[in-house]
Each structure stands twice: as C-alpha cells, then as structure tokens.
C-alpha cells in the first residue's frame, strides 16, 4: 500500500470505530445531581456573595459621597451631622 | 451501532419526552438518556480523548437537557439539539484546558515544575477501536486534535458519528456548502498532519 492509500485508509478508519458504552452508573450520578439541585436554595451561594459585596460597595460609596459634598468638611455647626440638602442661604 | 437519521415519528416521540421532562418527569429523562447517552458519550470522547472527561460531559449534557427542556423550540430535532449541546460543552472544555495550560506555562517561568506535569500529551485510545486498528486510531485522533474547532467538529460528526451533512449543518448552524468545505479542509489538514507524523516516525 502506498503512502496516499495508507493515509486514506487511516482517515476512513474513523468510521469503523465501534461505539463505546458509558459507565452504567452514570445515570445514577445525574439523578443525584438533579436531587441536590432540588434541595438547593433558589439563590445560589455565589449570588448571595455577589449581592452582599454589591451592598458593601454601595455603602462605602455612599459614605464617601456624604463626606465629600462640595469638597467641604462637615460643618461643626451642625455637630458633624451632614445636611447635604442645605443651600447655604438659610 | 452507528446512529441512523431520525424519522418524523422518532422526532415526535423525542419531543414528547422532552415536554414531559420540562414538567419534571425523571422517567422520561431516563428514556431519553437510554437513547442518547451512547451518542453523547462517543461524541465527547472523540473530542476529549478521555473517558472520565467524556462521562462528565455526558452528565453535564443531560443536566442541561433537564434544566432547559422548557426552553426547547421545535426549530430543530431533539437529536440535533442534543448534539449541539454536546459539541458546545466539549469545545468549552477544550478551551478551558487550553487556557489552563497557557496559565501553567506562564507560571512555569516563575515556579519550577516537573516537566512531565506540563506535557499533558493526549495519548488515549478510543474505547471503541478494533484491536487491529489501535495504532492507526491513535495516530488519527492525535491528528484530529490538531485541527481547528470547526474542522474538528465536522470531521468527528461526519466520519466518526456518521451523521448526514444536513444534520451537521443544523448542529453547527452552517450551510451544507460550508460544512462540505470545512470537511475538505479538515481532510487536507489531516493528510498533512498524518504525513508529518509518518515522516517523523521514519526518521526515528
């Protein structure tokens, strides 16, 4: 058999591969996964973590914004309580 | 036995099974599993060349079927849909390993590792290979692994899974002409790669 015929026979040999069977217990594993999915809470752990991280970031941003209104330090007159809605004309 | 094209009656039966699965019927999932698990497993093994990886892909595919049965639109046959999930999951897994390999190679510049750990050469035999074709099959799958994703997919589906070109076009969402051209290119590249492997062996 020459080189070209040899290559062709190898390529066409792909079709001669018989089908192999998966592990007979594989379906049980799938079933177990489905069961564990059912008992899992609606919100996954990662979703809860992301939500908490988002809340923390929002709180930090909020505090930064509150302390940097117009670039001024909180007035002692108001006892450090922030009056961000004040126009300064009162 | 190699898969045969789905008839309308079978298509309807599979669709009804899928509708029951969407309602949470596990016995219908088992029936669908009995019919498709071998096809899914063998497609995955042709891509990944690893039995346990192929089993994991099979598991992921059936979990996806169970979770997404409700969203199945009757635009394609159930068989096409299942093959599409299998192909996508297998290609995703290959991408994941390529990424992991790149990262570990980059890390190896900083951390000294055992060379064998990084080699990760695929050298496994398809379990369905006949005894007299074992060597040829090993060479062929080594060459298939080097094909680009598109060419790899059409070659596996056409020549290993024996699917008709029309179904491959539906699975890959390409035209039949595009599938034909990919097949031609896959064969050309396989010939080049096999030539290279044989020449290397002769030199050794």
């Amino acid at each position: 058999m020459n080189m070209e015929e040899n290559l062709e026979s190898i390529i066409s040999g792909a079709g001669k591969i018989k089908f192999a069977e998966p592990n007979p217990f594989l379906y049980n594993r799938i079933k177990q996964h489905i069961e564990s999915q059912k008992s899992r809470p609606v919100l996954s752990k990662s979703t809860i973590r992301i939500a908490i991280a988002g809340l923390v970031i929002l709180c930090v941003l909020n505090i930064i914004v509150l302390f940097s209104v117009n670039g001024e330090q909180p007035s002692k007159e108001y006892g450090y309580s922030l009056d961000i809605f004040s126009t300064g004309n009162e | 036995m190699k898969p045969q094209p789905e008839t309308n009656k079978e298509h309807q039966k599979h669709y009804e099974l899928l509708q029951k699965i969407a309602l949470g019927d596990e016995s219908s999932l088992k029936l669908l599993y009995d019919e498709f698990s071998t096809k899914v497993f063998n497609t995955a093994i042709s891509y990944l060349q690893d039995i346990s990886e192929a089993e994991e892909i099979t598991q992921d595919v059936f979990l996806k079927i169970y979770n997404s049965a409700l969203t199945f639109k009757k635009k394609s046959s159930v068989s096409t849909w299942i093959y599409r999930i299998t192909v996508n999951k297998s290609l995703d897994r290959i991408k994941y390993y390529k990424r992991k390999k790149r990262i570990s190679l980059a890390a190896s510049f900083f951390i000294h590792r055992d060379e064998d750990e990084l080699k990760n050469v695929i050298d496994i035999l398809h379990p369905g290979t006949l005894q007299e074709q074992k060597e040829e099959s090993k060479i062929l799958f080594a060459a298939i692994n080097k094909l680009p994703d598109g060419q790899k997919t059409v070659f596996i589906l056409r020549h290993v899974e024996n699917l008709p070109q029309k179904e491959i076009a539906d699975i890959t969402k390409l035209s039949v002409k595009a599938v034909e051209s990919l097949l031609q290119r896959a064969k050309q590249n396989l010939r080049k790669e096999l030539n290279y492997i044989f020449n290397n062996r002769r030199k050794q």
Side-chain angles (χ1 to χ4, degrees):
Chain A
M1 203 190 289
N2 66 31
M3 184 74 168
E4 191 61 23
E5 281 173 342
N6 197 9
L7 295 181
E8 285 309 317
S9 91
I10 291 178
I11 292 172
S12 58
K16 289 175 196 152
I17 289 170
K18 284 192 297 178
F19 267 178
E21 296 290 329
N23 183 338
F25 300 108
L26 188 61
Y27 184 73
N28 291 342
R29 249 160 64 185
I30 295 170
K31 225 177 151 188
Q32 276 172 7
H33 265 272
I34 291 172
E35 291 305 319
S36 67
Q37 257 182 19
K38 282 179 187 166
S39 57
R40 225 177 276 160
V42 182
L43 288 176
S44 67
K45 266 185 189 174
S46 60
T47 315
I48 295 168
R49 271 186 210 141
I50 291 167
I52 292 171
L55 277 174
V56 170
I57 291 168
L58 272 178
C59 286
V60 171
L61 283 176
N62 210 5
I63 291 166
I64 292 169
V65 169
L66 281 176
F67 278 92
S68 62
V69 175
N70 297 326
E72 288 171 9
Q73 288 295 312
S75 165
K76 277 184 185 174
E77 197 182 328
Y78 294 103
Y80 289 104
S81 71
L82 293 166
D83 188 0
I84 57 169
F85 301 109
S86 161
T87 57
N89 295 328
E90 295 110 52
Chain B
M1 217 176 79
K2 297 274 177 182
Q4 298 299 316
E6 242 185 354
T7 60
N8 272 348
K9 208 175 163 188
E10 275 175 322
H11 183 189
Q12 191 54 35
K13 187 184 99 186
H14 295 151
Y15 183 63
E16 281 165 13
L17 282 178
L18 215 54
Q19 280 180 317
K20 286 181 190 164
I21 293 169
L23 298 171
D25 182 14
E26 283 176 28
S27 60
S28 298
L29 182 72
K30 174 80 174 99
L31 288 174
L32 204 70
Y33 176 86
D34 289 341
E35 210 157 317
F36 285 98
S37 60
T38 315
K39 294 173 188 173
V40 171
F41 177 70
N42 282 274
T43 308
I45 212 166
S46 298
Y47 276 97
L48 296 151
Q49 304 288 301
D50 185 292
I51 294 168
S52 61
E53 287 286 348
E55 279 178 359
E56 265 194 43
I57 294 288
T58 310
Q59 180 180 308
D60 288 354
V61 168
F62 281 94
L63 283 174
K64 169 92 179 166
I65 292 170
Y66 184 78
N67 291 327
S68 310
L70 203 62
T71 61
F72 175 76
K73 295 178 183 82
K74 241 181 157 178
K75 281 180 190 166
S76 61
S77 71
V78 175
S79 159
T80 302
W81 185 58
I82 294 175
Y83 267 116
R84 196 179 298 146
I85 299 172
T86 311
V87 168
N88 288 338
K89 293 243 176 234
S90 303
L91 288 176
D92 282 349
R93 189 64 64 105
I94 291 171
K95 271 182 207 155
Y96 167 76
Y97 280 116
K98 278 185 184 165
R99 214 168 37 232
K100 213 173 154 188
K101 209 175 165 186
R102 272 202 299 271
I103 293 168
S104 64
L105 271 171
S108 68
F109 286 112
F110 304 103
I111 308 159
H112 176 73
R113 287 197 184 181
D114 193 3
E115 239 177 64
D116 287 342
E117 201 184 324
L118 295 171
K119 272 186 184 168
N120 195 21
V121 177
I122 294 162
D123 189 26
I124 189 170
L125 204 58
H126 194 295
T129 310
L130 295 171
Q131 188 62 38
E132 62 269 24
Q133 292 167 340
K134 282 196 168 165
E135 197 50 39
E136 288 186 351
S137 169
K138 245 183 187 179
I139 297 169
L140 177 65
F141 277 101
I144 291 174
N145 270 323
K146 296 207 170 152
L147 290 176
D149 288 350
Q151 293 175 24
K152 194 188 288 179
T153 298
V154 293
F155 186 85
I156 288 172
L157 295 179
R158 183 73 192 103
H159 289 287
V160 184
E161 297 302 309
N162 221 10
L163 293 180
Q165 285 192 358
K166 172 76 183 71
E167 190 166 1
I168 299 171
D170 289 342
I171 293 166
T172 52
K173 294 184 179 174
L174 293 170
S175 66
V176 176
K177 279 205 162 180
V179 169
E180 261 174 42
S181 126
L182 274 174
L183 258 177
Q184 288 306 320
R185 267 184 281 158
K187 281 187 183 174
Q188 274 172 14
N189 286 335
L190 277 179
R191 275 189 208 107
K192 271 187 215 165
E193 190 57 41
L194 289 171
N195 245 328
Y196 176 76
I197 295 172
F198 280 127
N199 285 337
N200 264 0
R201 286 192 164 197
R202 226 178 284 150
K203 279 175 200 167
Q204 283 168 4

